[in-house]
Amino acid sequence: PPKHWPQQSPRTPSALKVGPERNIVFLSDSLGVKLNRGPDGIVRVLSVVPNTPGSPIIRNGYLEVGDVVREAAGVDVRRP
């Protein structure tokens, strides 16, 4: 089961903002994101390292803390 540390649990578990779907392509071995599957079963972005010039992290697309991850490497992660 997921850990229930305060920084890994959404403040309002029932609140889920839905916006346009975005594709993010990671072009480096370092992803620069921390993910967590919350008690509600939804995978969310907890932290994002900025994609800056000279950084070992290279990705196309924009991620924000709180984004919901629906798929990774062709695998549907919406269900535990």
Side-chain angles (χ1 to χ4, degrees):
K3 295 177 181 171
H4 294 284
W5 297 339
Q7 71 271 21
Q8 292 187 341
S9 298
R11 289 193 176 104
T12 53
S14 61
L16 182 62
K17 293 185 219 173
V18 178
E21 189 171 299
R22 298 183 309 246
N23 289 320
I24 313 299
V25 179
F26 295 92
L27 304 169
S28 60
D29 290 335
S30 298
L31 303 181
V33 296
K34 183 186 271 188
L35 305 175
N36 181 64
R37 183 181 301 276
D40 55 4
I42 297 173
V43 177
R44 289 183 176 83
V45 176
L46 294 180
S47 66
V48 181
V49 174
N51 186 8
T52 57
S55 169
I57 299 162
I58 304 168
R59 61 181 168 255
N60 289 334
Y62 183 71
L63 282 170
E64 292 183 18
V65 171
D67 280 354
V68 172
V69 179
R70 296 178 52 186
E71 183 180 307
V75 177
D76 186 343
V77 296
R78 290 177 280 181
R79 302 197 190 281

